[in-house]
Amino acid sequence: MSGRQSGGPVGSQGLTPVGSPNRIARQQVPGNTENTRSTFAERVYQNTGRLPNGIGQFSPFNGPRTTQPTERVTTSANATEGIRAQLSQRDLGAGSSADVLASAGSPRKKSGIIGNTSAAKRAPPPPAVSQQAPVKKDGATKAHESAIPTTVLDLPSQRMYALATLGFMAAWKLFNALALNMDANRTSFYLFFKWCVLDTIIWYCGWRLHIPRLTLSTNVMYALVALSVFVNLNLFFLSESVITIAVKPMAISIASSWLRTIKGIPLLGPRLVGDSDLLIDSFELDEEHILGRHTIHVLPHSLTHMNPESKSFCIDDAQMYAEPWYQRLALGLFSHNHRPQTAIPILVNGTHPETISYAYTSFETGQRHLRTIKNTGALQMETNAVYPALGNWVMATYYLPVTEVGAYEIYSVKDRKGLEFRTASQAPPTIVVACPQAHLQWNGVVPERDNFVVGGNGHASICQRTDQDQADDLSSGLIQVVARGYEPMEISVVRLVNGDREVISLDGSQPQPLERIQHSGSDMDAAQLAAIEKWSQYRAHSSVYTLSDTFLRPGEYVYKLESIRDAANHSVVMSNTGPKGMFDGDKAGSGKATPYMARVQVHRRPSVGWGDALHIAELPLRLSEDPARKSEYALPLRLSGTGPWIVRYEIVNGEQKIRMSKKFVDGAKPTIEAQQPGTYHLVDVSDSHCGGQAEKTNVTLELAPKPHVNITSAPITAHECGGEIGALVDLELMGRPPFAIYYRERNLRFPNSRPITRKVRSQQRRHSFKVMPELAGTYELEFFQLDDDNYPSGQPISQTITQEIHAQPSAKIDTVNGHIPTRACMGEELELPVRLKGQGPWQLTYNVVYENRRMAKTVMGIEDESYTIALGAFKQPGDYTVELAQVKDGNQCARDLIDVSTVINVREGGPRVGFQCPDNGVRVLDGEQAQIPIYVQGEFPVEVRYHKIGDASKHVYTATIKRNTYQGSSQVSSVMAFGPGEYELVSASDICAGTIDQQSSRCSVIVEPKPSVWFVTDGLRREGEGADAGIWKLHESCEGMALQNTFELGLQGSGPWKIEYQVEFWAANNARSGVPGFVDRTTTHTLVAMQTSTLKPECCDPGLYRYTLLSVSDERYQKPQQLLRTAQAISSQVGVTVVEHMITKSPFAELRAYSPEGTALEMQSRGAFRRQPPSIKYCLAPGQSRSDNEAQSWAKKLHEHLPVFRIEFAESGQPPFQAWVEVFPASGPSEVVHVSDIAGYSQPIILPDHVASQIGLYHMRLVKTKDARGCEHQFVDPNEVGLGRPDKGIAGGIEIEYIEAPNARPASSSPASDPTRNVCVGDVLAFDLRGLNSWNVEYEYNKLHRSIAVNKRLFRRIADTPGNFTLQKVCHRSANDCCSEFDDLSYTVHDIPRVRVSGGRDVYQDILEGDMVDIRLELKGTPPFTFTWQRRSIESSKVLDSHTVKDLMEFEYTISTASEGTFEVTFIQDRYCQYPKA
């Protein structure tokens, strides 16, 4: 049979349905045992999440098991077979579910998974399922899928590869870290950066791939990246790793513990661990060598004391009794919500108290009550000290809660055994009083004028009081403090007045008592009355304190009840109950008032006064009907206070009084509009809070009268002029000056002419003026307007004056070309034009004033109106004043002229001009425009004329010098030069002809020459002569040798010079050397040269160098000037700019080694070995010596095995050669061997014979070679010759080594070095190893043979167990056949002695005074014993006694004592060893 059953859906076999791929629910079948174990295949699929077709959410994974064992086994096997068959299909991925739900109660067929015992049946095949996987709607399910499809790689393999990758990366990182730790630098930025990148990639891939069970969230990925950066920083970047500093001590401890554990493995452990230095350094002897302590405690008496510190206590009884009864009950039932209680401390020193009895005395009744606390465990307790050695003895403080005021005293305290404690003698009773309390309240008696108002928030406001209020005794307090407590009381109130803090203490004020309790003695006896009288002083009393304040200063007054203290020094601080910060200088908050805080806002009383503008104005104010003046005034006010304001004022005009008021909402620029005349008087003012007073000053307004004038006139008569020549007008003015009167002047002789309007001003009330016109005729003066200060727009008037006037002559100075002549030159004449008016002919009189002299001159018979006064020639320079004094016409009418004059300035000479030429002339660069500096003395502008000497055209240049800059008293300017040459001044002039400074009349303009540079050919050579000559060359140089010659440069210009040159290089192996198109390297350089300079040729690579000068610039020509490339000198200005230099190769050689048969041992490069050849080694017995007679035989023997050394030269040099070879012997200084006359390119080297006769290592290297041309090749710095040593790492070379057999001797720090000293467990056996720095050491410890490798010169072994230790053999690891054996390095290791105190246990024993105790000590070791025991204090561990017992031959010892303390042994020693070690 095939074992398959056709038909029937999956699940019809009576199988248990599976709830999910990760968790399979199991059911019980009636009659069978519970299936509590899954098959192996089920666990695999549960763990991996891979469920093949048919094994989904409801796949029949498990079937019920029967009670027969055979069926149970068959079921498991068949289930496995079915699963394997289903896995072969692989139709669905992980997480697919079956289509059929199995029924738990369906009957089981005979051929199902569980069959009969005769044949095993396979599970039926699963039904066909759709190939399309169900669509996953849950995004979370998709997020947990791997990014790698399971068809490519299944999930277990993905996890395996991921973990393998992580393991490989961790091992790689550990390898890099260990390798870097062995390096000298111990830091590497490359490794740090590399591992940061690799770690970031690893964690990103882990987050991105979503491998199940290895999925990383985003936050975890970021955390791992940050952790990796931190680890990499410590491993690869920091020289002092934080991880090393923090982990090293713990790592050493853990590692040493592991090593000791591994070493404890029989046979295998010692071989794995070996003699680790970590075990040796961390080895510690166990503490079992001294075990046990015995502590004896003498019990003291139990004591109790109430209130040992004599503190005072108080109870807030008012608050407690003010609470409802149900609230007090709730607070008592629930301890977690209890009110802080007052508790009296009771100090107990002894056993735990069982009951505490105390007496209570009431202050009100004086009666004494006895109370007992039987449950002391309910009391709060603080343990001050514990005595473990005394059992249940403690020093503790119990806190007795009290809720009533009164006197308390301890009565008795008993423990569980009924023993009564001792109480402190003459201890006073503890007084508990009522805690002091206080609060603020407002005083109801306040004057009405204060406008006292209490707002809704509890704060008050009041108006500012005045000195008059204080005189009227209105300074009663607004705030009262109601206090209750044990009197006398001290109350502190903090007052803030506008931020200024002040503390008010009320301890000295006399309070007003509120109530006093009086006791009637009718129903009390004398004893009770005496008791009440005795305790009445401690009762609480209530009093009222009044805070008086004048409130003279406006602002914010804040009162804070800071604290209260009663007579028992109980202080209650109320500052924490009010608004925070208000008493640190801040403004009080706007919150509601509290019983401990009150705020009084004292408002400043408003005031009103006239504005400052009225104080500086001219009073009284005038009202005018003129439109240019004010018909009303806005009288400014000055208000203070808080708006809005109401200002009341009066207007008094004669007998009439008008009272008015005005309201102002805004206090900015308040005014009262005054439209009617009168006296304005301010009455009072009120603002939003208070009423205030007004200033007493008044403002008066008047109505200004209109101006008017009285006009009279009188003629001005002159008989010689024919009668009246004018009119004198008198004005009588009334009004407010200044005045202005307007009139029209009209000549009736010309009726069609326009009248002339004139204006007359006057500051006086009487004014006169003359009217004297120049033309004759009848004049009419019409006055039509009068102005004054009150009526500036003018008032009309009407008055006319008529006057017959005969005209007078006149004269004035005329202009020439619009200007009156005012300047002249000395020696020249000047004409001054004059214009005359009137009837001719005229007679003119004028004066010429010079200095203090006046000369008058009269000119008669002038017929023309235009006349010219001829002045000069002037003989003296200076100012001449010409005044017209009088003019007379043909009628002989004379007129005196006033202020008709002019001033003529006569100069002594013209300007003085000269060139300001430098000593070497004006120097300019080629192509630049030159300016010749010139200085000028004179008046500007000045015209200068100059020409160029030698110019064929004889052109004269003209320049106008204007004002520019001054240098001393001269004007400095410049004129333009037209090309190089010498220029000469011709003339200069302003209004007068000037002079030329003959010493500075010429100046030269010179063009600076361009800079030039060339190679000086002195010391250079070239091939050929004339035009066929080659390029100039420097003498050849050798490669690597210092250059002795340089190129000398010729320079022309103004230094320093900046030279740019080019270097072309052809290598020595270039076949076309010197051909421009085949240059190997071209570089450009810049050189700064001084007066004399050289160019240093390059000296490194052998070959041809060509140097070409490209450009040059100097101090004057900053722009580089290109040079002509030439190998020949063309002129004195153009020299050689191209030269060459040849560097030949140095004689290079290599040092090679060959075997005696002629075979090359290794390849060498550039004179030094890159791979050292194997050393030739010989092992000598330790201590074997060779005398001088034996040296020759040793050398002959060793020469047979030495290689042959040859010097091989390159063909670039020229023979014969010389060579210097440095040889480093095994000991002593090095020596240099000179090999001369090497005819060919190869030569063998013969070593000195004495080198082969020394033990150790010697080395040889090339120092220098030289050829026939004198060229040298230096392989070693000459300063380092003779300084190198083989043990300090000479690079390369050939080595020969003679090895002495190793030796071992006990180290001085080892106990084995002292024959008289015994070796004990814990000692370190140390041996100094001699020879090469790598050995194999063989030893035997307790018949166990071991061989270990040692890399240090000190070999150490810890003696951890008693027995025998023998060092047998030491060999060199580099040459195992070179060994030494020892027979005198054998030692016996002794055990450490031990002692047990009281059987090795810690014993605590309580005794009474006088009892004796025996303490037994047990010793183990080799007698005689010496030990030390001590007695220490129990509390401080102070040593009280110390005793040393010596030469004890027994193994037991007993100490009998009655003293208190801890007894212990601190030192023990037997015949061989001691503990602790010295």
Side-chain angles (χ1 to χ4, degrees):
M1 295 180 63
S2 62
R4 299 179 182 269
Q5 181 177 351
S6 62
V10 176
S12 62
Q13 312 302 322
L15 304 181
T16 303
V18 180
S20 65
N22 296 327
R23 182 177 181 182
I24 302 177
R26 300 168 178 81
Q27 297 182 355
Q28 293 183 358
V29 178
N32 295 341
T33 59
E34 182 183 359
N35 183 11
T36 59
R37 184 177 301 173
S38 62
T39 64
F40 171 76
E42 176 188 353
R43 293 195 300 273
V44 169
Y45 287 109
Q46 284 180 345
N47 293 334
T48 60
R50 296 171 54 210
L51 294 179
N53 188 13
I55 305 178
Q57 278 188 327
F58 305 101
S59 174
F61 222 152
N62 270 333
R65 300 184 179 182
T66 61
T67 56
Q68 291 83 1
T70 56
E71 287 188 339
R72 188 159 56 244
V73 174
T74 305
T75 300
S76 177
N78 290 340
T80 306
E81 294 283 343
I83 291 172
R84 291 174 180 172
Q86 294 177 21
L87 287 174
S88 63
Q89 298 181 9
R90 303 182 64 87
D91 293 334
L92 295 178
S96 62
S97 60
D99 297 333
V100 182
L101 177 64
S103 175
S106 60
R108 184 160 22 122
K109 292 188 177 182
K110 210 171 188 181
S111 60
I113 292 181
I114 304 176
N116 54 19
T117 57
S118 60
K121 306 295 183 179
R122 293 181 179 270
V129 185
S130 175
Q131 298 296 325
Q132 182 178 2
V135 179
K136 298 180 181 180
K137 298 182 180 180
D138 190 1
T141 305
K142 185 176 181 180
H144 289 290
E145 292 183 356
S146 174
I148 304 175
T150 55
T151 57
V152 177
L153 190 64
D154 58 88
L155 295 179
S157 299
Q158 292 182 23
R159 282 190 286 269
M160 180 184 67
Y161 289 139
L163 294 176
T165 303
L166 287 177
F168 171 74
M169 298 298 287
W172 189 14
K173 180 184 288 188
L174 181 61
F175 173 75
N176 287 158
L178 294 177
L180 183 62
N181 192 39
M182 297 178 183
D183 192 6
N185 294 329
R186 296 196 177 186
T187 58
S188 173
F189 178 77
Y190 165 72
L191 291 178
F192 167 70
F193 179 76
K194 179 185 80 173
W195 279 108
C196 287
V197 173
L198 292 178
D199 290 338
T200 304
I201 294 174
I202 288 294
W203 301 129
Y204 176 79
C205 292
W207 168 75
R208 190 68 178 172
L209 294 179
H210 298 292
I211 301 175
R213 300 191 180 182
L214 295 180
T215 303
L216 302 178
S217 65
T218 304
N219 294 334
V220 173
M221 180 194 68
Y222 289 152
L224 290 175
V225 170
L227 180 61
S228 301
V229 172
F230 174 75
V231 172
N232 296 334
L233 187 69
N234 285 273
L235 290 180
F236 304 111
F237 194 74
L238 298 178
S239 59
E240 291 293 336
S241 172
V242 177
I243 297 178
T244 303
I245 296 175
V247 177
K248 185 175 181 180
M250 182 176 64
I252 291 175
S253 177
I254 295 174
S256 60
S257 178
W258 286 358
L259 289 177
R260 282 193 293 270
T261 302
I262 296 174
K263 190 174 182 180
I265 301 175
L267 299 178
L268 184 60
R271 296 183 180 274
L272 292 177
V273 175
D275 297 321
S276 172
D277 288 341
L278 185 60
L279 280 178
I280 296 174
D281 295 335
S282 62
F283 181 82
E284 294 180 0
L285 294 174
D286 55 30
E287 298 181 355
E288 296 181 355
H289 295 282
I290 299 177
L291 290 179
R293 290 184 300 179
H294 199 113
T295 302
I296 299 174
H297 184 219
V298 179
L299 297 178
H301 294 284
S302 298
L303 299 174
T304 181
H305 188 192
M306 175 179 279
N307 193 12
E309 298 181 1
S310 300
K311 294 182 178 179
S312 58
F313 301 92
C314 69
I315 297 176
D316 191 359
D317 56 347
Q319 179 182 359
M320 181 179 65
Y321 290 110
E323 296 175 352
W325 64 271
Y326 53 84
Q327 185 174 358
R328 284 182 284 165
L329 178 61
L331 293 176
L333 292 177
F334 302 101
S335 59
H336 65 275
N337 192 24
H338 67 279
R339 185 196 313 106
Q341 293 182 342
T342 301
I344 301 176
I346 300 176
L347 181 63
V348 175
N349 187 9
T351 58
H352 291 281
E354 184 69 14
T355 61
I356 297 177
S357 299
Y358 63 94
Y360 163 71
T361 303
S362 174
F363 294 154
E364 302 295 332
T365 62
Q367 295 180 359
R368 193 169 186 264
H369 305 277
L370 187 63
R371 299 175 181 178
T372 302
I373 298 176
K374 297 182 178 181
N375 184 15
T376 58
L379 298 179
Q380 182 184 356
M381 183 191 71
E382 291 182 0
T383 302
N384 300 334
V386 179
Y387 309 100
L390 302 181
N392 59 349
W393 276 68
V394 296
M395 178 184 291
T397 302
Y398 290 83
Y399 291 92
L400 176 66
V402 294
T403 58
E404 298 176 272
V405 297
Y408 294 83
E409 55 185 332
I410 197 70
Y411 185 75
S412 68
V413 178
K414 296 181 181 180
D415 60 5
R416 294 180 181 178
K417 297 180 181 180
L419 298 178
E420 189 170 351
F421 286 47
R422 291 182 181 180
T423 59
S425 60
Q426 299 179 356
T430 300
I431 303 300
V432 179
V433 299
C435 292
Q437 299 176 0
H439 67 274
L440 300 177
Q441 68 179 12
W442 297 110
N443 188 2
V445 181
V446 181
E448 183 179 356
R449 71 181 70 177
D450 288 345
N451 197 16
F452 178 71
V453 178
V454 179
N457 57 359
H459 299 296
S461 63
I462 192 174
C463 292
Q464 177 187 4
R465 291 175 175 175
T466 62
D467 295 337
Q468 182 63 34
D469 296 335
Q470 187 175 7
D472 295 341
D473 196 15
L474 297 180
S475 60
S476 59
L478 295 179
I479 301 175
Q480 294 178 341
V481 180
V482 180
R484 183 178 182 274
Y486 173 30
E487 292 183 345
M489 290 178 288
E490 180 181 347
I491 302 174
S492 295
V493 179
V494 176
R495 182 179 69 171
L496 288 177
V497 180
N498 297 329
D500 296 335
R501 191 175 189 271
E502 180 183 0
V503 178
I504 303 174
S505 179
L506 301 181
D507 54 343
S509 347
Q510 184 64 30
Q512 301 175 5
L514 287 182
E515 48 31 24
R516 288 290 185 269
I517 300 177
Q518 300 294 335
H519 296 277
S520 176
S522 59
D523 54 349
M524 299 182 183
D525 55 9
Q528 188 174 0
L529 290 176
I532 293 176
E533 184 66 23
K534 174 183 177 182
W535 300 107
S536 63
Q537 59 176 332
Y538 299 109
R539 288 199 297 264
H541 303 284
S542 298
S543 302
V544 177
Y545 298 82
T546 301
L547 299 178
S548 299
D549 210 328
T550 58
F551 299 110
L552 296 178
R553 288 187 297 170
E556 185 181 55
Y557 289 67
V558 181
Y559 297 88
K560 176 64 173 59
L561 189 57
E562 182 78 5
S563 63
I564 181 172
R565 183 171 63 183
D566 61 5
N569 202 27
H570 296 134
S571 297
V572 178
V573 179
M574 287 92 168
S575 61
N576 296 328
T577 58
K580 305 297 182 183
M582 56 184 296
F583 291 93
D584 296 332
D586 300 337
K587 186 177 180 181
S590 59
K592 291 186 177 181
T594 66
Y596 311 107
M597 189 275 292
R599 180 164 62 93
V600 179
Q601 183 66 39
V602 179
H603 299 289
R604 184 187 298 273
R605 291 188 181 272
S607 63
V608 63
W610 300 113
D612 296 336
L614 293 178
H615 295 292
I616 62 176
E618 185 178 357
L619 298 178
L621 301 178
R622 291 178 173 82
L623 297 175
S624 175
E625 298 177 358
D626 193 288
R629 287 290 184 260
K630 294 182 179 180
S631 61
E632 67 177 17
Y633 279 88
L635 303 180
L637 298 179
R638 184 176 66 254
L639 292 174
S640 66
T642 304
W645 295 266
I646 297 178
V647 178
R648 287 172 290 276
Y649 60 96
E650 289 180 348
I651 305 175
V652 179
N653 190 2
E655 298 297 331
Q656 182 183 6
K657 288 186 179 180
I658 302 175
R659 176 161 293 192
M660 304 181 68
S661 65
K662 185 176 181 180
K663 184 177 181 179
F664 299 94
V665 178
D666 187 6
K669 299 181 179 180
T671 58
I672 295 176
E673 289 72 17
Q675 300 178 349
Q676 54 185 336
T679 300
Y680 288 75
H681 170 65
L682 297 175
V683 179
D684 57 19
V685 64
S686 63
D687 62 358
S688 59
H689 301 292
C690 306
Q693 297 179 355
E695 293 183 1
K696 303 303 181 180
T697 57
N698 301 328
V699 176
T700 303
L701 272 70
E702 295 179 353
L703 183 61
K706 297 180 180 179
H708 63 276
V709 60
N710 294 326
I711 305 173
T712 59
S713 64
I716 301 174
T717 303
H719 298 287
E720 64 275 9
C721 296
E724 293 85 1
I725 61 174
L728 177 63
V729 181
D730 293 328
L731 303 177
E732 293 183 3
L733 300 167
M734 286 174 288
R736 182 180 178 85
F739 300 95
I741 188 169
Y742 298 86
Y743 68 93
R744 301 184 185 94
E745 180 182 306
R746 181 181 295 111
N747 192 345
L748 299 180
R749 181 181 175 185
F750 306 100
N752 296 328
S753 63
R754 296 180 60 183
I756 300 173
T757 302
R758 301 184 185 277
K759 179 179 180 181
V760 178
R761 292 182 178 275
S762 175
Q763 295 289 341
Q764 305 298 328
R765 297 184 184 274
R766 295 183 63 86
H767 183 73
S768 298
F769 66 93
K770 294 180 180 180
V771 179
M772 300 176 68
E774 295 181 354
L775 297 178
T778 301
Y779 284 84
E780 182 182 74
L781 304 179
E782 180 185 0
F783 295 88
F784 63 89
Q785 181 178 330
L786 175 62
D787 301 346
D788 70 348
D789 186 60
N790 294 326
Y791 291 86
S793 299
Q795 294 294 320
I797 59 174
S798 178
Q799 189 171 350
T800 304
I801 297 174
T802 303
Q803 181 68 46
E804 181 74 21
I805 297 175
H806 299 275
Q808 289 181 296
S810 65
K812 67 176 182 178
I813 299 174
D814 206 356
T815 61
V816 179
N817 297 328
H819 300 282
I820 297 176
T822 58
R823 296 193 302 174
C825 297
M826 192 175 63
E828 295 181 356
E829 294 183 354
L830 179 66
E831 294 181 349
L832 186 64
V834 177
R835 180 167 297 276
L836 303 171
K837 289 184 180 181
Q839 184 177 357
W842 291 273
Q843 176 181 331
L844 178 63
T845 302
Y846 63 92
N847 300 324
V848 179
V849 181
Y850 175 70
E851 292 181 350
N852 296 326
R853 292 173 293 174
R854 179 185 297 270
M855 180 179 63
K857 193 172 183 180
T858 301
V859 181
M860 304 175 64
I862 302 174
E863 299 292 340
D864 194 359
E865 292 183 353
S866 298
Y867 177 73
T868 301
I869 298 175
L871 301 174
F874 297 101
K875 299 181 180 180
Q876 297 292 333
D879 291 334
Y880 291 81
T881 302
V882 179
E883 300 175 348
L884 300 184
Q886 188 183 61
V887 62
K888 184 183 293 185
D889 60 5
N891 298 325
Q892 299 300 311
C893 180
R895 182 178 183 179
D896 295 332
L897 301 177
I898 301 173
D899 294 336
V900 183
S901 63
T902 184
V903 178
I904 300 172
N905 178 259
V906 178
R907 294 176 53 198
E908 185 176 0
R912 183 179 177 84
V913 180
F915 282 131
Q916 194 96 10
C917 190
D919 295 339
N920 297 327
V922 178
R923 309 183 74 88
V924 295
L925 301 182
D926 189 13
E928 292 185 357
Q929 181 68 47
Q931 297 286 337
I932 305 175
I934 186 174
Y935 69 90
V936 180
Q937 294 178 351
E939 296 187 6
F940 294 90
V942 176
E943 186 178 83
V944 178
R945 290 171 293 278
Y946 60 99
H947 70 98
K948 184 193 295 186
I949 298 176
D951 187 4
S953 63
K954 298 183 179 180
H955 180 72
V956 177
Y957 304 99
T958 303
T960 301
I961 307 300
K962 298 181 179 180
R963 293 185 180 272
N964 197 350
T965 58
Y966 278 96
Q967 181 174 350
S969 61
S970 302
Q971 180 76 16
V972 178
S973 186
S974 61
V975 296
M976 186 178 298
F978 300 91
E982 187 177 9
Y983 291 82
E984 183 182 22
L985 291 172
V986 176
S987 63
S989 63
D990 47 10
I991 62 171
C992 303
T995 58
I996 303 298
D997 187 356
Q998 296 301 323
Q999 295 182 355
S1000 303
S1001 62
R1002 294 188 178 188
C1003 187
S1004 299
V1005 177
I1006 304 171
V1007 177
E1008 292 285 353
K1010 294 184 178 180
S1012 179
V1013 62
W1014 63 89
F1015 289 106
V1016 179
T1017 57
D1018 296 343
L1020 303 181
R1021 61 182 180 82
R1022 61 177 178 174
E1023 298 177 357
E1025 296 293 339
D1028 297 333
I1031 299 176
W1032 291 93
K1033 297 182 179 181
L1034 193 66
H1035 293 286
E1036 293 184 356
S1037 303
C1038 296
E1039 178 189 7
M1041 296 184 65
L1043 297 178
Q1044 303 296 331
N1045 300 323
T1046 58
F1047 294 107
E1048 185 178 354
L1049 298 178
L1051 299 169
Q1052 183 177 347
S1054 300
W1057 293 265
K1058 186 177 181 181
I1059 304 169
E1060 183 180 6
Y1061 66 94
Q1062 176 181 284
V1063 181
E1064 298 173 292
F1065 170 70
W1066 290 267
N1069 54 359
N1070 192 336
R1072 299 191 178 186
S1073 179
V1075 180
F1078 298 91
V1079 179
D1080 292 321
R1081 182 175 69 244
T1082 301
T1083 57
T1084 303
H1085 305 273
T1086 301
L1087 172 66
V1088 178
M1090 302 307 291
Q1091 194 65 33
T1092 58
S1093 183
T1094 58
L1095 191 149
K1096 185 177 181 180
E1098 298 188 7
C1099 60
C1100 297
D1101 299 330
L1104 177 63
Y1105 294 84
R1106 179 174 293 170
Y1107 299 86
T1108 304
L1109 299 176
L1110 301 179
S1111 64
V1112 63
S1113 61
D1114 63 355
E1115 187 68 20
R1116 291 190 175 91
Y1117 287 85
Q1118 301 292 333
K1119 184 178 179 180
Q1121 304 294 318
Q1122 300 298 323
L1123 300 175
L1124 179 64
R1125 297 192 179 191
T1126 175
Q1128 306 292 334
I1130 298 177
S1131 64
S1132 59
Q1133 301 295 330
V1134 180
V1136 177
T1137 59
V1138 179
V1139 293
E1140 290 182 351
H1141 180 221
M1142 175 67 72
I1143 297 179
T1144 59
K1145 285 188 175 181
S1146 61
F1148 177 73
E1150 292 182 339
L1151 185 64
R1152 294 183 177 271
Y1154 296 88
S1155 65
E1157 294 79 14
T1159 304
L1161 295 181
E1162 63 173 349
M1163 298 299 296
Q1164 304 291 334
S1165 62
R1166 209 146 183 97
F1169 287 94
R1170 294 307 177 199
R1171 292 180 301 165
Q1172 293 186 353
S1175 300
I1176 303 173
K1177 301 179 180 180
Y1178 286 90
C1179 182
L1180 305 178
Q1184 181 177 356
S1185 61
R1186 294 177 298 279
S1187 62
D1188 296 339
N1189 297 330
E1190 296 174 337
Q1192 187 174 2
S1193 61
W1194 272 100
K1196 181 179 179 181
K1197 179 180 179 181
L1198 296 177
H1199 271 302
E1200 297 176 358
H1201 303 279
L1202 288 177
V1204 177
F1205 306 117
R1206 304 184 67 89
I1207 301 176
E1208 297 183 357
F1209 290 88
E1211 295 184 357
S1212 59
Q1214 181 178 352
F1217 300 97
Q1218 301 180 62
W1220 286 263
V1221 181
E1222 186 177 12
V1223 180
F1224 297 89
S1227 62
S1230 64
E1231 55 182 282
V1232 178
V1233 179
H1234 180 209
V1235 183
S1236 59
D1237 297 332
I1238 303 175
Y1241 291 93
S1242 179
Q1243 175 76 23
I1245 302 175
I1246 306 300
L1247 295 178
D1249 293 339
H1250 64 275
V1251 174
S1253 62
Q1254 298 184 14
I1255 295 177
L1257 177 70
Y1258 78 88
H1259 186 98
M1260 58 185 299
R1261 65 179 177 182
L1262 278 173
V1263 176
K1264 183 176 66 173
T1265 58
K1266 188 175 183 181
D1267 63 357
R1269 296 173 301 181
C1271 293
E1272 298 180 353
H1273 188 92
Q1274 196 79 30
F1275 296 92
V1276 180
D1277 189 350
N1279 297 325
E1280 296 181 0
V1281 175
L1283 300 179
R1285 296 301 306 164
D1287 57 351
K1288 295 187 178 179
I1290 300 176
I1294 301 174
E1295 299 177 351
I1296 298 178
E1297 185 177 9
Y1298 304 113
I1299 304 174
E1300 184 179 7
N1303 194 7
R1305 289 290 93 188
S1308 59
S1309 61
S1310 173
S1313 62
D1314 187 2
T1316 62
R1317 182 179 173 185
N1318 299 311
V1319 179
C1320 301
V1321 173
D1323 290 341
V1324 177
L1325 298 174
F1327 300 91
D1328 289 329
L1329 304 182
R1330 300 174 185 177
L1332 299 180
N1333 289 335
S1334 181
W1335 300 270
N1336 281 328
V1337 180
E1338 297 181 9
Y1339 66 91
E1340 185 179 84
Y1341 194 8
N1342 287 341
K1343 298 183 181 180
L1344 179 64
H1345 184 79
R1346 289 204 57 198
S1347 177
I1348 62 173
V1350 180
N1351 295 323
K1352 301 179 181 178
R1353 291 191 175 274
L1354 184 65
F1355 166 67
R1356 300 190 301 166
R1357 177 65 167 87
I1358 185 70
D1360 52 354
T1361 58
N1364 292 321
F1365 176 86
T1366 302
L1367 184 65
Q1368 297 174 336
K1369 187 178 180 181
V1370 178
C1371 300
H1372 284 302
R1373 293 183 63 187
S1374 58
N1376 286 328
D1377 56 344
C1378 193
C1379 302
S1380 297
E1381 295 183 358
F1382 308 97
D1383 53 2
D1384 57 344
L1385 299 179
S1386 181
Y1387 306 95
T1388 300
V1389 181
H1390 301 280
D1391 198 3
I1392 303 296
R1394 301 171 183 269
V1395 62
R1396 301 290 184 269
V1397 179
S1398 298
R1401 296 175 291 108
D1402 289 344
V1403 177
Y1404 299 91
Q1405 186 176 1
D1406 297 335
I1407 66 172
L1408 300 176
E1409 295 181 1
D1411 293 346
M1412 296 292 295
V1413 176
D1414 291 336
I1415 303 174
R1416 184 167 174 246
L1417 278 66
E1418 300 175 3
L1419 296 93
K1420 182 180 179 181
T1422 304
F1425 296 98
T1426 299
F1427 64 92
T1428 300
W1429 64 271
Q1430 294 178 347
R1431 181 172 68 92
R1432 295 180 178 271
S1433 174
I1434 299 176
E1435 291 81 6
S1436 62
S1437 299
K1438 180 181 178 182
V1439 177
L1440 303 177
D1441 294 320
S1442 180
H1443 303 274
T1444 300
V1445 179
K1446 297 183 179 180
D1447 298 331
L1448 179 66
M1449 301 303 296
E1450 291 79 13
F1451 292 91
E1452 291 185 0
Y1453 185 80
T1454 302
I1455 301 174
S1456 298
T1457 182
S1459 301
E1460 181 181 76
T1462 299
F1463 295 81
E1464 60 184 357
V1465 177
T1466 59
F1467 172 78
I1468 183 172
Q1469 178 181 352
D1470 65 355
R1471 183 184 298 273
Y1472 303 106
C1473 303
Q1474 66 180 29
Y1475 181 84
K1477 292 182 174 294

